[in-house]
């Protein structure tokens, strides 16, 4: 979750780096704390004598009550052994914040390492060991780590040594700690938290690091050590042939519209005025994204625009004021959606000339007459976008009949007149496909792409003639590399998203997120007969 979801500023230096502009006092305190040697209290999140009840924890995360209670149940009472936990969900669903705030409530010692900031195995290993050895990098030690660790075997040996030392200190100090000193460690368990685990798959040695992390529970065989993994990818994407204790999953779904309303209403000076603003913008924006980190900056700008007719921001809006603000602000919603979430680029001179020549001949296709796109897109990316839409929309069993050598138009048999019941079932199936498009593997996407690329009038030959970016000219290798590059760009622009993976196939599946109107525009721009390939 974003900044507004964190109830209080924490004391741990690993999390305080997110503060953008610290004050002079904060800088002085940080320098003073960095000069002091770390202690066991640095493994606990939260200030000393800080009361953070369960009700405060639950109210801090709207829509996450069930997940927090499930996490607390799996963690169990103090000093109770537990199996590994796997917390997963989409981006900006509050996974990291929920786990860390739960540990701040429990006052239990833990080690947190993010595979996003620790971008290779050595940095990840040394980050864990530095926290366990109570080592802080500074000018005195030349900003060096406690242990130089590059190989997995060295990491396991050093990790066992550090855990034994920390657990001995926790057990020795447990009798001396007072229950009133809430900033001290509560219990003799130590928890290892690995965040952004999906990043490890992109590492050069990620295929060996992931099995190592999942096998730590069996390798260490220490009941006082618990493992928690946080990832935006589902657990089935990490399945491998190596046997290990499967972590217990905790899934965080996307926020609902009511959850988002509770999140954005928090910390608002005039909740009723902001609630009237959310009643206008929240529903259309939720159709595009439900990520808090994307909605928060967008709403911040739009709320300023919404309040322009209001002279007093503390006013309590009535029905008449809400109607006046609605009529003033409604024309700004659609342009703001296009301005904030579109992926645009300036077209080249050749594309502008080509579009200028084609302005005179505008043909109707569907319900729209506008043949121009609001942004420039390479031809290969357009065919990929169409292929992804067809793969999500059409059943996979019809690919052979739709994408045959004749283009799928000459080999269709005459169909009998459908009954009313079959027509209703067909309409229901089409609505389900529109609301919940299906997923498809990359192999099917590339197969459809190769079939339709030779059908459209705007073929890829023009791009192939001048293509020598990889030193391959007029060859399938250069074209395929360009296709994969365009596929990566479409995924980054959220035109195509990952839809999990199949345990039987072992490969990632994708889903198209674009609407039919947009695909029709893309098809018209390259003169592709899309209507012949859509299953109706």
């Amino acid at each position: 979750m974003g900044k507004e979801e964190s109830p209080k500023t924490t004391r741990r230096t690993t999390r305080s780096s997110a503060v953008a502009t610290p004050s002079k006092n904060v800088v002085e305190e940080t320098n003073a704390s960095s000069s002091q040697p770390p202690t066991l209290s640095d493994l606990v999140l939260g200030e000393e004598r800080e009361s953070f009840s369960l009700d405060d924890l639950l109210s801090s995360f709207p829509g996450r009550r069930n997940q927090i209670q499930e996490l607390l149940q799996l963690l169990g009472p103090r000093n109770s052994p537990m199996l590994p936990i796997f917390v997963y969900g989409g981006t900006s669903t509050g996974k990291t914040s929920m786990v860390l705030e739960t540990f701040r409530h429990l006052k239990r010692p833990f080690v947190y390492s993010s595979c996003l900031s620790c971008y290779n195995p050595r940095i990840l290993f040394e980050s864990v060991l530095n926290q366990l050895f109570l080592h802080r990098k500074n000018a005195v030690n030349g900003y060096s780590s406690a242990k130089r660790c590059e190989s997995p075997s060295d990491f396991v040996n050093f990790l066992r040594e550090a855990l034994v030392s920390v657990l001995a200190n926790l057990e020795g100090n447990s009798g001396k700690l007072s229950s009133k000193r809430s900033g001290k460690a509560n219990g003799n368990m130590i928890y290892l938290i690995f965040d952004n685990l999906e990043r490890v798959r992109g590492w050069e040695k990620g295929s060996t690091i992931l099995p190592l992390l999942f096998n730590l529970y069996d390798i260490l065989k220490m009941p006082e050590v618990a493992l928690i993994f946080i990832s935006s990818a589902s657990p089935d994407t990490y399945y491998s042939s190596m046997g290990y204790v499967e972590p217990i999953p905790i899934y965080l779904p996307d926020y609902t519209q009511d959850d988002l309303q509770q999140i954005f209403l928090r910390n608002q000076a005039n909740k009723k005025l902001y609630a009237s603003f959310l009643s206008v913008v929240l529903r259309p924006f939720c159709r595009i994204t439900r990520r808090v980190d994307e909605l928060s900056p967008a709403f911040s700008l739009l709320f300023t625009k919404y309040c322009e007719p209001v002279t007093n921001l503390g006013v309590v809006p009535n029905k008449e004021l809400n109607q006046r603000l609605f009529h003033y602000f409604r024309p700004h919603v659609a342009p703001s959606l296009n301005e904030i979430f579109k992926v645009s680029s300036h077209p080249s001179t050749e594309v502008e000339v080509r579009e200028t020549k084609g302005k005179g001949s505008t043909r109707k296709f569907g319900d729209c007459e506008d043949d121009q796109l609001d942004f420039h897109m390479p031809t290969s990316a357009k065919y990929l976008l169409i292929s992804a839409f067809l793969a999500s929309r059409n059943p996979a069993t019809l690919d052979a009949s739709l994408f045959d050598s004749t283009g799928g138009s000459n080999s269709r048999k005459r169909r009998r007149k459908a009954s009313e019941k079959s027509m209703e079932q067909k309409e229901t199936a089409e609505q389900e496909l529109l609301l919940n498009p299906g997923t498809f593997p990359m192999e099917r996407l590339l197969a459809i792409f190769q079939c339709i690329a030779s059908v459209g009038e705007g073929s890829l030959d023009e791009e192939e003639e001048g293509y020598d970016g990889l030193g391959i000219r007029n060859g399938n290798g250069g074209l395929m590399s360009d296709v994969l590059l365009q596929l990566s760009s479409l995924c980054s622009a959220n035109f195509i998203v990952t839809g999990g993976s199949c345990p039987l196939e072992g490969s990632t599946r994708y889903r198209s997120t674009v609407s039919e109107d947009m695909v029709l525009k893309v098809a018209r721009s390259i003169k592709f007969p899309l209507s012949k390939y859509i299953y109706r």
Side-chain angles (χ1 to χ4, degrees):
M1 295 172 59
K3 291 181 180 178
E4 55 194 272
E5 297 181 51
S6 181
K8 295 181 181 180
T9 304
T10 57
R11 180 183 56 81
R12 278 174 66 96
T13 56
T14 55
R15 308 299 296 174
S16 62
S17 59
V19 181
T21 310
S23 62
K24 182 178 180 181
N25 295 334
V26 174
V27 173
E28 292 177 354
E29 293 177 1
T30 304
N31 293 334
S33 62
S34 61
S35 61
Q36 299 176 358
T39 60
L40 287 175
S41 60
D42 289 312
L43 299 179
V44 181
L45 190 63
E47 299 286 350
E48 292 188 2
R49 300 179 181 177
E50 177 187 13
S51 60
F52 187 38
S53 63
L54 179 59
D55 293 335
D56 296 335
L57 176 64
L58 296 176
S59 61
S60 301
F61 297 93
R64 296 290 179 252
R65 172 180 290 268
N66 295 334
Q67 288 77 15
I68 293 176
Q69 291 178 347
E70 183 179 3
L71 178 60
L72 291 173
Q73 184 178 3
L74 292 175
L75 291 175
R78 184 177 60 177
N79 300 333
S80 59
M82 51 168 279
L83 293 174
I85 299 176
F86 191 95
V87 182
Y88 72 102
T91 306
S92 187
T93 52
K95 303 181 295 295
T96 304
S97 300
M98 184 193 75
V99 173
L100 295 181
E101 291 301 315
T102 301
F103 274 91
R104 186 162 77 92
H105 161 67
L106 296 175
K107 290 290 182 287
R108 297 186 184 179
F110 69 94
V111 170
Y112 173 86
S113 296
S114 172
C115 299
L116 179 61
S117 57
C118 303
Y119 49 86
N120 61 42
R122 182 182 65 82
I123 297 179
L124 177 65
F125 295 160
E126 294 181 359
S127 172
V128 176
L129 295 176
N130 286 338
Q131 297 178 64
L132 289 174
F133 279 114
L134 305 179
H135 175 83
R136 182 180 292 130
K137 295 182 180 180
N138 51 35
V140 178
N141 53 41
Y143 299 97
S144 60
S145 300
K147 299 288 184 179
R148 178 74 177 183
C149 183
E150 296 185 359
S151 64
S153 59
D154 292 340
F155 172 67
V156 172
N157 294 330
F158 290 143
L159 179 62
R160 191 186 302 274
E161 176 187 349
L163 288 172
V164 170
S165 176
V166 170
L167 293 174
N169 292 334
L170 288 174
E171 186 175 0
N173 294 337
S174 59
K176 303 177 182 179
L177 299 179
S178 174
S179 58
K180 298 181 180 180
R181 300 288 301 276
S182 61
K184 299 297 183 179
N186 185 7
N188 301 329
M189 288 279 295
I190 185 72
Y191 301 83
L192 305 182
I193 302 177
F194 295 94
D195 197 0
N196 302 112
L197 194 66
E198 71 280 354
R199 294 280 181 168
V200 181
R201 296 183 298 180
W203 292 358
E204 182 179 356
K205 298 181 180 179
S207 59
T208 60
I209 301 302
L210 280 175
L212 170 67
L213 297 179
F214 283 120
N215 279 292
L216 279 179
Y217 179 81
D218 294 327
I219 295 174
L220 295 175
K221 296 185 182 301
M222 302 175 67
E224 302 86 3
V225 179
L227 296 172
I228 299 178
F229 304 102
I230 305 176
S231 172
S232 60
S234 57
D236 53 3
T237 59
Y238 298 96
Y239 285 156
S240 64
S241 58
M242 299 183 61
Y244 52 80
V245 176
E246 185 175 345
I248 302 175
I250 299 179
Y251 175 62
L252 274 68
D254 292 337
Y255 290 113
T256 63
Q257 187 171 333
D258 295 336
D259 296 337
L260 291 174
Q261 185 169 4
Q262 295 181 38
I263 291 173
F264 286 106
L265 279 177
R266 295 176 57 219
N267 303 325
Q268 294 295 332
N270 192 341
K271 295 184 182 298
K272 293 186 177 181
L273 181 62
Y274 202 84
S276 65
F277 163 73
L278 291 178
S279 64
V280 179
V281 301
L282 193 56
R283 185 174 182 180
F285 273 79
C286 283
R287 296 175 181 175
I288 299 178
T289 179
R290 297 191 178 188
R291 292 178 51 174
V292 178
D293 56 347
E294 292 181 348
L295 294 175
S296 181
F299 286 178
S300 179
L301 297 175
L302 290 175
F303 184 64
T304 305
K305 190 74 176 178
Y306 182 80
C307 297
E308 285 183 356
V310 180
T311 56
N312 182 17
L313 295 180
V315 65
V316 178
N318 51 23
K319 184 177 181 181
E320 181 181 356
L321 180 60
N322 286 334
Q323 291 179 352
R324 183 161 61 93
L325 292 176
F326 173 75
H327 289 297
Y328 170 79
F329 184 70
R330 184 174 59 178
H332 301 282
V333 176
S336 299
L337 286 170
N338 297 331
E339 183 66 24
I340 293 173
F341 294 107
K342 76 177 182 179
V343 180
S344 60
S345 61
H346 297 287
S348 60
T349 306
E350 296 179 0
V351 175
E352 292 178 354
V353 173
R354 191 181 306 169
E355 291 180 353
T356 304
K357 291 181 180 180
K359 283 183 178 179
S361 58
T362 303
R363 58 174 179 172
K364 292 185 179 180
F365 196 99
D367 297 334
C368 303
E369 299 183 1
D370 187 11
D371 287 342
Q372 296 182 359
L373 291 173
D374 297 333
F375 51 86
H376 170 66
M377 181 182 291
T379 305
S380 58
K382 293 180 181 179
Y383 276 109
L384 276 175
L385 199 65
I386 296 173
S387 303
F389 176 79
L390 293 175
S392 290
R393 179 73 180 273
N394 296 340
T397 55
L398 297 181
D399 288 351
S401 59
L402 291 175
F403 308 105
D404 57 3
S405 58
T406 60
S409 57
N410 299 330
S411 62
R412 292 186 180 178
K413 297 181 180 180
R414 184 176 297 177
R415 299 177 181 176
R416 292 181 296 178
K417 187 175 181 180
S419 61
E420 294 182 358
K421 184 176 181 180
S422 62
M423 291 297 293
E424 292 178 358
Q425 293 177 352
K426 185 178 179 180
E427 291 178 358
T428 304
E430 289 181 1
Q431 292 178 359
E432 291 179 356
L433 283 173
L434 289 175
L435 295 176
N436 301 308
T439 60
F440 52 86
M442 182 182 293
E443 292 79 9
R444 185 186 175 203
L445 174 66
L446 296 179
I448 297 177
F449 171 80
Q450 292 176 353
C451 291
I452 70 174
S454 59
V455 177
E457 298 180 20
S459 63
L460 298 178
D461 295 338
E462 300 176 359
E463 290 188 358
E464 291 182 25
E465 290 177 359
Y467 183 79
D468 58 351
L470 297 177
I472 304 175
R473 191 177 181 85
N474 294 329
N476 293 332
L479 178 60
M480 186 56 61
S481 62
D482 179 64
V483 168
L484 296 178
L485 181 61
Q486 296 300 335
L487 176 61
S488 177
S489 301
L490 292 176
C491 292
S492 300
N494 287 332
F495 289 148
I496 301 175
V497 297
T498 56
S501 65
C502 179
L504 298 179
E505 297 177 358
S507 60
T508 305
R509 299 181 68 88
Y510 300 87
R511 178 185 288 112
S512 173
T513 60
V514 297
S515 62
E516 186 174 351
D517 293 337
M518 180 178 178
V519 175
L520 288 174
K521 284 187 177 184
V522 173
R524 286 195 301 271
S525 66
I526 56 178
K527 300 180 181 180
F528 177 76
L530 180 63
S531 59
K532 297 181 180 180
Y533 297 90
I534 299 180
Y535 174 69
R536 299 287 186 183

